[in-house]
Amino acid sequence: MGTVSQFHESLRPPAHRIESEEEAISTARDLAAAFRHQASERDINRILPFAELDALSVSGLTAITVPPDHEGLDVSNALLAEIVAIIAEGDASIGEALERHFSALETLRTQAAEDLKASLFARVLLGDRFAGTALTDGTELTAEGPGYRLSGRTRQVPGILFADWIAAAATAPPSRPVTLYLARGEEGVQVVDDWDGFGQRTNGSATAIVGTLHVNADAIAPAPSSGHSTGISLGLLLKAGVSLGIARAAWSDLMTAIGDRSTTVLPQIGERAIRIEATAAALERAGRKLDIAQVNPVEAAMADAHFSCSAAAILAGETALDTANALFELAGETSVGIGLNLDRHWRNARIHALSLPRDKLVHTAGEYMSEPGRA
């Protein structure tokens, strides 16, 4: 890849304002159905879904977590995870870009000053999209007037190619963790399309390179101080949502592939169906705990939400891989045609799982459950 992507100029019409959770999920289902039609072709030819992401923005779905104080709907986290799963079932790459967008908005909500929140949430309501990342080692961030001079690059993450804003974690001198909010179209910011993964091929993964840029102090917010922050937990929950969407997409293609032969493999079908249902239940439970932590962000509530979101993310990743494997185990030769492109479900599940720090989450879960009085 390695080509420099120009800022995607878009004449998006004004974004619709979604008024209820019922409208949000209905909108997600309609969009997912549309995305599903050419998802395989986009994967085969690596056609980046700019038009589909613009459709998400115009629909108002990208703004459903804006807080009511900023004229937003602020849907529940369980519903948000289900919406991401619905979109990911239609196209897992689009779902992953949405995962990154909503995670960045949660960090904005919890960490930024009121003026910055007001400014950026207003942009979200108009349809702007975000991607969260971190600056790499070797990036230079030096004090310059009322802000900093930035030179360096970000980590490669999904969604940057589609983002209007990049939320970049950094360390300001002398050692202050911060998040910088960079306008994607800012002069001096280039986005390099350097993703060549065999799965999630159109998720907008890219690296942002900053030559020299002055970042005003009012575009900087403190980074989360807790490893159990609601931003981290929401990222895990939405990652679970993408995996659940991949599992459902593989399941749908499995049932089509086996057709009339389904009665010969009923036990195997039942087992996979139960796993998918249990995964959906885990996401719903984790979402409710995260709701509590957002309303009452004390360490105990945030740690509890982090534990459940970790469990949901691990379970969903395993379910996606198992269901994708079952597609070939149970459907047999009817599933292996190159033109069917059914292997994309396994490729998507495998690549998506790589971004989950499973060992770290399991270790943290062990520490959490070993605390006195927890057993």
Side-chain angles (χ1 to χ4, degrees):
M1 308 301 172
T3 58
V4 176
S5 171
Q6 299 299 317
F7 181 67
H8 177 58
E9 295 292 347
S10 174
L11 300 177
R12 290 193 298 255
H16 173 70
R17 191 70 61 87
I18 291 178
E19 300 291 346
S20 68
E21 292 194 338
E22 292 76 15
E23 183 185 1
I25 201 162
S26 174
T27 299
R29 287 171 176 154
D30 290 344
L31 286 169
F35 296 163
R36 187 177 299 113
H37 290 308
Q38 294 184 327
S40 177
E41 180 184 351
R42 285 193 296 272
D43 173 82
I44 292 172
N45 298 305
R46 197 170 183 267
I47 301 170
L48 295 170
F50 284 110
E52 288 75 13
L53 266 296
D54 281 351
L56 273 173
S57 290
V58 172
S59 75
L61 207 62
T62 53
I64 57 175
T65 63
V66 173
D69 290 349
H70 297 277
E71 302 181 14
L73 178 61
D74 192 22
V75 301
S76 70
N77 288 298
L79 182 69
L80 184 64
E82 177 62 19
I83 284 171
V84 169
I86 289 169
I87 295 297
E89 182 178 357
D91 188 317
S93 286
I94 297 174
E96 191 170 27
L98 201 57
E99 165 200 328
R100 291 283 177 166
H101 167 78
F102 286 131
S103 297
L105 295 190
E106 175 64 7
T107 300
L108 173 67
R109 183 191 72 83
T110 57
Q111 301 301 132
E114 287 302 319
D115 287 349
L116 181 57
K117 284 196 282 190
S119 174
L120 292 182
F121 279 135
R123 297 303 312 173
V124 176
L125 290 172
L126 292 174
D128 282 10
R129 297 185 294 269
F130 283 64
T133 183
L135 297 172
T136 61
D137 293 340
T139 295
E140 296 181 4
L141 190 64
T142 56
E144 181 180 74
Y148 294 91
R149 176 184 295 177
L150 171 63
S151 178
R153 63 174 57 212
T154 70
R155 293 177 183 170
Q156 182 192 64
V157 299
I160 288 186
L161 282 178
F162 311 130
D164 301 293
W165 298 87
I166 300 169
T171 301
S175 58
R176 183 168 65 99
V178 296
T179 301
L180 312 176
Y181 290 89
L182 312 177
R184 162 75 187 281
E186 189 83 41
E187 185 176 353
V189 178
Q190 293 181 327
V191 174
V192 180
D193 180 6
D194 53 1
W195 176 241
D196 62 354
F198 62 73
Q200 295 294 88
R201 299 190 68 223
T202 61
N203 65 2
S205 282
T207 300
I209 300 176
V210 180
T212 301
L213 178 69
H214 177 79
V215 183
N216 289 327
D218 60 4
I220 301 172
S225 57
S226 171
H228 299 139
S229 73
T230 56
I232 292 173
S233 294
L234 181 63
L236 292 169
L237 178 63
L238 300 186
K239 186 170 291 295
V242 173
S243 293
L244 177 58
I246 294 171
R248 287 173 173 169
W251 168 262
S252 177
D253 282 341
L254 166 61
M255 297 307 292
T256 298
I258 61 178
D260 294 338
R261 295 182 293 111
S262 62
T263 55
T264 65
V265 288
L266 284 179
Q268 296 93 324
I269 290 174
E271 181 178 348
R272 269 69 185 198
I274 288 171
R275 285 193 182 191
I276 291 173
E277 182 67 12
T279 299
L283 267 68
E284 184 174 352
R285 175 178 170 83
R288 291 198 302 269
K289 287 190 177 183
L290 188 52
D291 287 344
I292 294 170
Q294 287 175 330
V295 172
N296 183 31
V298 297
E299 185 61 26
M302 291 196 296
D304 193 34
H306 184 273
F307 170 70
S308 285
C309 290
S310 298
I314 291 171
L315 176 60
E318 292 173 349
T319 299
L321 281 169
D322 178 72
T323 310
N325 284 331
L327 175 55
F328 300 100
E329 294 169 2
L330 302 182
E333 293 182 358
T334 60
S335 65
V336 299
I338 292 176
L340 296 174
N341 196 29
L342 297 181
D343 61 299
R344 74 183 187 277
H345 301 308
W346 184 90
R347 291 187 284 107
N348 289 341
R350 196 68 195 89
I351 286 291
H352 190 243
L354 291 177
S355 62
L356 183 70
R358 189 183 190 283
D359 290 347
K360 179 182 178 181
L361 295 178
V362 170
H363 181 82
T364 300
E367 289 182 332
Y368 175 71
M369 293 305 295
S370 299
E371 293 176 0
R374 186 71 61 191

